[in-house]
Amino acid sequence: MTCSVATNNVLNPFTPYGDCSLVRMANLYANTTHAGTARELAACFDLVTSAPARLMNLPDYGIAVGVPADIVVLNAAEPAMAIAALAQPLFGFKRGLATFTWPQPVLHRP
């Protein structure tokens, strides 16, 4: 069975909180299910990436020549750490066009 995790009703009268972060939703799922191994956390990452693509029957999902250039780049070395550390999105593209950039924080010395 293929399942996914998503978010809905953000900052409205029913759920007056949230930030639309699918990484945060996958992290919440990991917390509530006590997923703690790298394999389990990577599976949580799949719940907001490849699993929804399979559920929606997206034939051109993924990174390959000729598919739409839709991507969000996270500040994480691997999927498990993206979920464990609530990785911040750095930038995103939709059909090859930049849609957002989120600069990394800069630490200033005293």
Side-chain angles (χ1 to χ4, degrees):
M1 178 181 296
T2 302
C3 298
S4 67
V5 171
T7 187
N8 191 9
N9 296 329
V10 175
L11 298 176
N12 67 25
F14 303 105
T15 49
Y17 46 79
D19 61 2
C20 297
S21 169
L22 292 178
V23 170
R24 187 178 314 283
M25 293 295 101
N27 176 276
L28 177 61
Y29 177 84
N31 276 272
T32 58
T33 62
H34 299 283
T37 67
R39 184 176 177 190
E40 291 169 338
L41 290 168
C44 292
F45 186 81
D46 289 344
L47 290 173
V48 295
T49 55
S50 58
R54 284 194 306 277
L55 286 170
M56 294 186 297
N57 294 316
L58 298 179
D60 54 0
Y61 176 80
I63 299 174
V65 174
V67 301
D70 300 340
I71 189 168
V72 173
V73 177
L74 300 172
N75 187 15
E78 58 189 38
M81 283 309 297
I83 302 308
L86 290 168
Q88 182 66 48
L90 299 176
F91 51 88
F93 291 86
K94 181 69 175 171
R95 301 211 176 273
L97 298 175
T99 56
F100 73 89
T101 303
W102 191 300
Q104 291 191 43
V106 177
L107 183 62
H108 300 283
R109 295 181 183 262

